[in-house]
Amino acid sequence: MLKKEQLQDIIDQFPEETLKEKAFFGIYHYGNNTDESFIKANTEGLQLFALQLLRSTLDIDSTPLRANQNTISLIYDEDWIDEHSDTLIQYVQPVFEKPVPKIIKKNNPYFSGKLVGLVFSLFALLVAVSLLIGVVTLLKWLLW
């Protein structure tokens, strides 16, 4: 993890005003779902967006730990951000602890394997009994 001074040194290396002259950045989606999104940008646009994110990390570090509801604003209405962008990211909401992932219960492969075997065995038994009844009925019909 970078210290504040190291992070500030990196931020200071970005020639922000020069980048803004050529920058283009937008977030779009090509389908109906949120997982069908993409960024359309040039190098300068990506660097400016990264600069905003790096600055927000400095703000998160200076935010008190109890302030889970605070937000850190991002610039979203400048000339270098495409006005036709489908998604405009306006702020970052700090999270100070990693959320605990939901535990998804997986089927026990041993149990499901046994269940398939049991169903197959019952089906085979049903076929065998039906075949036996059919053969006995046919023999009765032929011999009477």
Side-chain angles (χ1 to χ4, degrees), residues 30-55:
Y30 58 88
N32 295 327
N33 298 324
T34 57
D35 64 341
E36 298 173 339
S37 299
F38 64 96
I39 291 175
K40 185 175 172 183
N42 61 9
T43 303
E44 293 83 3
L46 286 173
Q47 288 178 2
L48 281 173
F49 189 70
L51 179 61
Q52 284 194 58
L53 293 177
L54 289 173
R55 282 188 180 137

Side-chain angles (χ1 to χ4, degrees), residues 17-143:
E17 293 307 316
T18 307
L19 291 173
K20 283 183 180 181
E21 293 173 7
K22 297 180 181 179
F24 178 83
F25 182 87
I27 302 174
Y28 306 89
H29 61 85
Y30 58 88
N32 295 327
N33 298 324
T34 57
D35 64 341
E36 298 173 339
S37 299
F38 64 96
I39 291 175
K40 185 175 172 183
N42 61 9
T43 303
E44 293 83 3
L46 286 173
Q47 288 178 2
L48 281 173
F49 189 70
L51 179 61
Q52 284 194 58
L53 293 177
L54 289 173
R55 282 188 180 137
S56 68
T57 61
L58 288 177
D59 292 339
I60 287 176
D61 290 340
S62 64
T63 304
L65 287 177
R66 58 178 162 62
N68 275 336
Q69 299 305 317
N70 287 350
T71 58
I72 299 164
S73 296
L74 296 177
I75 298 169
Y76 62 93
D77 59 353
E78 291 210 5
D79 291 341
W80 60 274
I81 297 177
D82 186 12
E83 62 186 28
H84 302 295
S85 180
D86 295 328
T87 303
L88 298 173
I89 300 175
Q90 299 175 358
Y91 61 89
V92 174
Q93 184 174 2
V95 176
F96 297 101
E97 294 178 8
K98 184 176 179 179
V100 178
K102 292 180 182 177
I103 298 173
I104 300 172
K105 228 178 183 181
K106 293 184 178 179
N107 291 338
N108 185 346
Y110 177 73
F111 177 74
S112 61
K114 283 184 82 173
L115 185 63
V116 169
L118 179 65
V119 169
F120 181 75
S121 298
L122 288 175
F123 181 73
L125 181 65
L126 178 69
V127 168
V129 168
S130 298
L131 188 61
L132 182 64
I133 291 173
V135 169
V136 169
T137 303
L138 184 65
L139 285 177
K140 282 185 180 180
W141 183 71
L142 287 175
L143 295 176

